[in-house]
Amino acid sequence: MVEKNSTLCPSDNQQVIDQSGFWSSDGIDWDTHRIGWLIAGVCAAVTVVLTAINVGFHATHYTNRGEQRQIIRILYMPAVYAIISFFSYRFFRSYTYYDLIETAYESVTLSAFLLLLIEFVAATAAGHSVDNAILRKDKEALPLPFCCWRYRPTKAYFMYTVKWSVLQYVILRPLLSIAGIVCEYYGVLCESGPWSFKTAHAYITVIDGVSITIALYGLLIFYGLTKDELKGRKPLSKFMSIKLIVMFTFYQSLVFDALEGRVIKPTQYWTETNIADGLNALAICIEMVIFSAFMMYAYSWREYVVPGRPRTSVWRPLWDSINYCASSPPP
């Protein structure tokens, strides 16, 4: 790893490294860091268990492949965030790398949610075609802040534009994460330094902000247009379970960053940035327990139970959930 510029890119880590482990010959030294370590681990484990239960029930009642493969992809989100946040807390000196990997999965979840909405709407139309459902729609006003303009959803380019408004984020976000990892390795990312367009962090943040805003706006347009077809499918709960994760992780990181140097002070082994990052990772681990439980309600497997139909093997659904090359034919 290349050494950072001390003025523009101050080091995120102290030179002195704590050599002690969680266990020692004298037992556990229950300092603040180890208590947080334990809480993060327990919460991550609970999140994984809750996610596994929900995914397992969907997999054994896999009666609608088109919808449930997208649901399973969404259900992975709390577990992915919890596991990566635990490791970013444990290996805090490499926090930036874990954070960039974690954020990349957000794009997968948003695309899965759009495809799930499309499946829901298509199920209400002739020929199981979302285009046939859109043909029933009249000219609509755009959501805020562009409500002065109207659009015609029956135009041939409408669904193409909506899909790519979200899919562009699926492409850009992983690329931004890769760019961030490379920049961090060469010491030019500069997350903890002053905001400056001389650093890679500023450009990555701006591009990411514009990209996710476009993606969320595309989702909002499609939801507003098809809300009648989505009645009874708990679309708001489904959307909020994803959106709240994004909002909590984003805004609480801003709060902890703002507390650096004011409330959060460095110690012998941890810089202000280390402590702020650790608190953010710990908070995410705790929050993911709540969100994984909420997803059990929002994405319930019970609506896919067909009386008298035998349970399915879990392997095909799990493979479908990670196979992004195959199409989604009906089961």
Side-chain angles (χ1 to χ4, degrees), residues 17-291:
I17 299 176
D18 184 3
Q19 300 293 338
S20 62
F22 189 83
W23 303 98
S24 67
S25 57
D26 299 326
I28 304 175
D29 179 15
W30 289 108
D31 61 5
T32 305
H33 178 62
R34 285 173 176 79
I35 293 172
W37 189 352
L38 178 64
I39 294 172
V42 170
C43 289
V46 172
T47 299
V48 170
V49 169
L50 292 176
T51 299
I53 291 172
N54 205 4
V55 169
F57 278 124
H58 272 283
T60 54
H61 297 88
Y62 201 55
T63 57
N64 190 321
R65 185 185 180 194
E67 294 179 10
Q68 286 179 281
R69 73 185 306 198
Q70 306 303 338
I71 289 174
I72 293 174
R73 289 169 181 170
I74 294 169
L75 293 178
Y76 290 150
M77 189 182 191
V80 169
Y81 270 53
I83 292 170
I84 295 177
S85 293
F86 169 73
F87 281 107
S88 66
Y89 184 93
R90 170 62 184 89
F91 304 105
F92 61 89
R93 298 176 74 86
S94 300
Y95 177 88
T96 299
Y97 296 109
Y98 289 106
D99 182 55
L100 289 167
I101 295 169
E102 177 182 275
T103 309
Y105 195 77
E106 181 184 315
S107 63
V108 176
T109 307
L110 287 179
S111 67
F113 183 70
L114 173 64
L115 294 175
L116 178 62
L117 292 185
I118 290 174
E119 287 288 336
F120 285 162
V121 174
T124 68
H128 199 88
S129 171
V130 69
D131 293 325
N132 290 335
I134 297 299
L135 288 174
R136 305 191 293 248
K137 303 298 179 180
D138 296 323
K139 201 171 184 180
E140 299 274 348
L142 285 168
L144 290 171
F146 304 111
C147 50
C148 296
W149 286 281
R150 296 170 67 84
Y151 67 95
R152 192 178 298 279
T154 53
K155 293 288 186 180
Y157 58 78
F158 172 75
M159 279 305 301
Y160 180 85
T161 304
V162 168
K163 287 180 181 178
W164 276 103
S165 69
V166 177
L167 293 178
Q168 55 82 24
Y169 186 65
V170 178
I171 297 170
L172 270 179
R173 182 58 256 186
L175 291 177
L176 291 174
S177 290
I178 292 171
I181 289 170
V182 173
C183 291
E184 175 68 8
Y185 179 83
Y186 285 103
V188 294
L189 184 63
C190 310
E191 276 195 307
S192 58
W195 178 269
S196 171
F197 279 101
K198 294 180 180 179
T199 69
H201 176 60
Y203 290 97
I204 290 174
T205 301
V206 170
I207 295 171
D208 180 49
V210 172
S211 180
I212 193 173
T213 299
I214 293 172
L216 291 173
Y217 196 75
L219 281 175
L220 189 61
I221 289 174
F222 188 73
Y223 171 74
L225 181 67
T226 59
K227 58 181 179 292
D228 291 335
E229 287 79 5
L230 294 172
K231 286 180 179 178
R233 307 307 297 265
K234 296 186 284 193
L236 186 58
S237 296
K238 288 177 169 62
F239 180 65
M240 291 307 293
S241 66
I242 299 170
K243 180 58 179 173
L244 288 175
I245 292 177
V246 177
M247 289 178 60
F248 269 78
T249 54
F250 177 75
Y251 286 110
Q252 75 191 15
S253 67
L254 293 181
V255 171
F256 288 127
D257 287 346
L259 295 177
E260 289 182 32
R262 298 174 177 85
V263 177
I264 299 174
K265 304 295 183 181
T267 66
Q268 179 183 4
Y269 298 118
W270 300 289
T271 62
E272 301 162 351
T273 301
N274 289 152
I275 297 172
D277 290 343
L279 289 172
N280 189 42
L282 178 59
I284 290 174
C285 287
I286 296 171
E287 291 157 2
M288 291 308 110
V289 175
I290 299 171
F291 286 120

